[in-house]
Amino acid sequence: MYFLMRCLHHAEQDAARDTHRPAHRSWVQSGGDGTATVLIGSALLDENGASIGNFGILEAADLAQARAFAEGDPFNRAGIVASIELTPLPETFQAHRIADPMTLRR
């Protein structure tokens, strides 16, 4: 199953994001130690270009696995994330059009 993951961050978290970004990127690359596959993701910005969160398109067995991935992210564990939103994508989602997934498939 595919999910849109949207994580909004608490305000003024730039320094904390900088500190935890290497661990966050490792988490994404590992798929949360195999919990999910991250096809694509990026920072979310406000209208002034300030970072307010992150998003990703995940492939996971079910909603529980997608949530485990999101909740296990170092950004979340460090208290940076204010809210996590997971939205199932339709079966017609064309994941094959994303040529270079962020997580290596096993």
Side-chain angles (χ1 to χ4, degrees):
M1 296 180 71
Y2 296 99
F3 299 89
L4 170 63
M5 175 190 72
R6 189 168 178 254
C7 300
L8 295 180
H9 296 177
H10 294 286
E12 300 183 19
Q13 294 296 306
D14 291 343
R17 272 191 293 272
D18 289 346
T19 297
H20 296 282
R21 187 168 289 112
H24 164 76
R25 287 183 174 160
S26 291
W27 182 256
V28 168
Q29 289 174 338
S30 76
D33 295 329
T35 305
T37 298
V38 181
L39 302 180
I40 194 80
S42 187
L44 293 171
L45 305 177
D46 68 12
E47 63 277 358
N48 298 315
S51 185
I52 59 167
N54 61 284
F55 83 94
I57 302 291
L58 310 179
E59 182 180 17
D62 53 32
L63 182 59
Q65 290 294 98
R67 183 157 302 283
F69 172 82
E71 290 177 351
D73 187 313
F75 280 172
N76 186 58
R77 292 192 322 254
I80 296 168
V81 176
S83 66
I84 297 170
E85 179 182 295
L86 293 161
T87 305
L89 297 174
E91 289 183 20
T92 56
F93 177 70
Q94 297 180 13
H96 66 280
R97 297 183 79 186
I98 300 172
D100 189 16
M102 297 175 83
T103 301
L104 295 178
R105 294 188 184 262
R106 297 171 192 225

